[in-house]
């Protein structure tokens, strides 16, 4: 029997609860790592993905020999790193003769492999190859627009799966309200064929249009690349069902003495107890008498302070 270690302090217990699966997900961290062999193109791709997600990403630059995501037994090291860094999305790069410039994007559930998508990188252009006004550079942590263009994202299973994974990878923190002034960049994915997607990153420039709504222009800032889908693995039905659980909408707690009216809006009732005037203790002396005595006393003091007339001596 394996010994189960329980947290002995409140801080350790809270850290374990943070890493546990949640019904309402927060922002996901991304783990970026590489295999035994990589190319210059692949190293540049991993570096720029890390820069795009710098606020919520962990980058490992050492070579990992035991990671083979699509093979049984080759997921142990990957799941260990996911548990260690508390990352639920990973990007793994490797290079071989059979699969050059190979990129595996996957998600984990409870720090176990959930699904995988393997793509090949072609026609890569880095950020440095684009010339643009540096004032348009996207800010770190800002929310992006994500556009998927093409019918393949709705009809082809491989592209539908790739769309789900890219959405989780690029969307960042989940928020309810959004400031439109903070939207400064967009990711555009175009389905060129049934297994090829053109990915590009653009900055957004607002210009005058003569109306209240400004005219928007896209300026390509990089990186851009072609993603060729090679392999993909969907999750098991039982794991999918467990991971897709949503929180039930709890009924709002009824507030006492508060009602909602169509015309008046929110109406509240206030309880005011009966005022028993007959039992109220009244002072023995009225305030008016005290005031008269105080005024008389002050008048008497002023008279005492007045200087007396000296008698004249007669000779």
């Amino acid at each position: 029997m394996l010994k189960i270690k329980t947290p002995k302090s409140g801080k350790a217990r809270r850290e374990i609860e943070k890493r546990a699966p949640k019904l309402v997900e927060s922002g996901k961290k991304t783990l970026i790592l590489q295999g035994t062999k990589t190319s210059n193109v692949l190293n540049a791709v991993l570096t720029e993905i890390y820069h795009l997600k710098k606020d919520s990403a962990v980058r490992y630059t050492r070579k990992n020999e035991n990671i083979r995501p699509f093979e049984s037994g080759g997921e142990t090291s990957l799941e260990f790193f996911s548990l260690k860094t508390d990352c639920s999305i990973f990007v793994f790069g490797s290079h071989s003769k059979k699969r050059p410039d190979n990129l595996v994007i996957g998600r984990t559930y409870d720090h176990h492999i959930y699904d995988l998508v393997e793509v090949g990188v072609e026609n890569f252009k880095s950020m440095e190859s684009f010339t643009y006004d540096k004032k348009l550079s996207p800010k770190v942590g800002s929310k992006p627009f994500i556009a998927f263009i093409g019918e393949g994202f709705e009809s082809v299973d491989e592209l539908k799966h790739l769309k789900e994974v890219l959405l989780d990878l690029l969307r960042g923190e989940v928020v309810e309200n959004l400031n439109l002034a903070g939207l400064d960049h967009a990711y555009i994915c175009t389905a060129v064929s049934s297994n090829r997607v053109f990915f590009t990153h653009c900055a957004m420039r607002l210009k005058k249009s003569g109306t209240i709504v400004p005219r928007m222009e896209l300026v390509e800032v990089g990186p851009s690349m072609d993603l060729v889908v090679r392999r993909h693995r969907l999750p098991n039905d039982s794991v999918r069902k467990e991971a897709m659980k949503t929180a039930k909408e709890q009924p709002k707690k009824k507030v006492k003495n508060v009602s909602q009216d169509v015309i008046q809006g929110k109406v509240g009732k206030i309880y005011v107890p009966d005022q028993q005037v007959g039992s109220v203790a009244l002072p023995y002396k009225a305030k008016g008498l005290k005031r008269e005595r105080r005024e008389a006393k002050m008048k008497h003091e002023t008279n005492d302070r007045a200087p007396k007339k000296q008698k004249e001596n007669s000779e």
Side-chain angles (χ1 to χ4, degrees):
M1 296 291 291
L2 294 174
K3 184 179 179 180
I4 299 175
K5 294 182 179 181
T6 57
K8 297 182 180 180
S9 63
K11 183 178 180 181
R13 185 171 60 253
R14 288 190 294 271
E15 286 297 324
I16 291 175
E17 290 176 356
K18 286 180 183 179
R19 298 190 175 201
K22 301 177 181 63
L23 287 175
V24 180
E25 292 184 352
S26 55
K28 296 182 178 181
K29 291 173 63 179
T30 305
L31 174 64
I32 302 172
L33 67 171
Q34 59 196 39
T36 308
K37 186 179 179 182
T38 55
S39 62
N40 294 332
V41 172
L42 200 59
N43 288 333
V45 172
L46 296 176
T47 302
E48 298 207 356
I49 291 176
Y50 174 69
H51 283 302
L52 292 175
K53 293 184 62 64
K54 197 168 185 179
D55 57 330
S56 60
V58 178
R59 172 76 191 278
Y60 285 168
T61 56
R62 290 186 178 181
K63 296 180 179 179
N64 299 280
E65 299 178 358
N66 302 324
I67 297 179
R68 296 177 180 85
F70 281 92
E71 298 179 10
S72 59
E75 305 170 349
T76 308
S77 299
L78 191 57
E79 292 174 353
F80 169 76
F81 288 133
S82 173
L83 179 61
K84 181 180 178 181
T85 57
D86 192 24
C87 293
S88 55
I89 304 177
F90 65 89
V91 179
F92 176 73
S94 62
H95 179 75
S96 63
K97 186 177 180 180
K98 186 178 180 180
R99 292 186 176 89
D101 299 329
N102 198 50
L103 210 62
V104 179
I105 307 172
R107 296 178 289 182
T108 62
Y109 174 72
D110 197 11
H111 302 296
H112 295 286
I113 300 299
Y114 179 73
D115 59 351
L116 298 167
V117 175
E118 184 182 67
V119 295
V121 178
E122 296 181 3
N123 303 324
F124 173 72
K125 293 182 181 179
S126 64
M127 296 180 184
E128 297 176 356
S129 61
F130 294 92
T131 56
Y132 58 93
D133 187 2
K134 298 303 178 183
K135 294 180 180 179
L136 299 175
S137 300
K139 298 179 178 62
V140 177
S142 60
K143 290 288 288 184
F145 275 117
I146 305 176
F148 292 92
I149 304 171
E151 297 180 357
F153 291 111
E154 303 297 332
S155 58
V156 182
D157 293 337
E158 290 83 356
L159 297 186
K160 287 169 66 176
H161 190 196
L162 180 63
K163 176 182 175 181
E164 293 179 5
V165 175
L166 289 178
L167 274 175
D168 268 354
L169 177 66
L170 301 174
R171 69 178 180 177
E173 188 76 22
V174 180
V175 295
E176 295 181 357
N177 299 321
L178 194 64
N179 186 6
L180 295 178
L183 296 171
D184 55 2
H185 66 294
Y187 297 109
I188 301 173
C189 304
T190 307
V192 180
S193 63
S194 60
N195 67 337
R196 183 181 290 268
V197 173
F198 175 65
F199 173 84
T200 185
H201 180 217
C202 298
M204 293 173 8
R205 177 188 293 173
L206 301 179
K207 288 194 171 184
K208 295 181 180 179
S209 62
T211 60
I212 299 176
V213 181
R215 183 168 59 89
M216 186 176 295
E217 285 188 358
L218 296 179
V219 180
E220 195 169 0
V221 296
S224 69
M225 67 192 91
D226 288 340
L227 302 177
V228 182
V229 181
R230 291 171 178 169
R231 291 184 291 179
H232 76 113
R233 191 177 76 186
L234 295 172
N236 297 329
D237 293 336
S238 59
V239 179
R240 180 192 288 270
K241 187 177 179 181
E242 182 71 19
M244 291 294 180
K245 281 185 179 179
T246 55
K248 294 182 179 179
E249 294 184 0
Q250 297 180 356
K252 294 182 179 179
K253 189 176 181 180
K254 188 176 179 181
V255 183
K256 293 182 180 180
N257 300 325
V258 176
S259 60
Q260 199 75 19
D261 189 40
V262 179
I263 300 174
Q264 296 181 353
K266 198 173 184 179
V267 181
K269 296 180 181 179
I270 301 174
Y271 173 72
V272 181
D274 295 336
Q275 297 181 0
Q276 299 176 359
V277 181
S279 61
V280 175
L282 298 175
Y284 179 73
K285 296 180 180 180
K287 292 182 179 180
L289 295 176
K290 291 182 179 180
R291 186 180 61 206
E292 289 178 359
R293 289 181 179 179
R294 186 168 58 252
E295 290 177 354
K297 185 178 179 180
M298 293 174 62
K299 186 177 180 181
H300 180 69
E301 289 177 353
T302 53
N303 292 334
D304 291 344
R305 292 175 184 172
K308 295 181 179 180
K309 295 181 179 180
Q310 294 181 358
K311 296 181 179 180
E312 297 179 356
N313 295 328
S314 57
E315 292 181 357

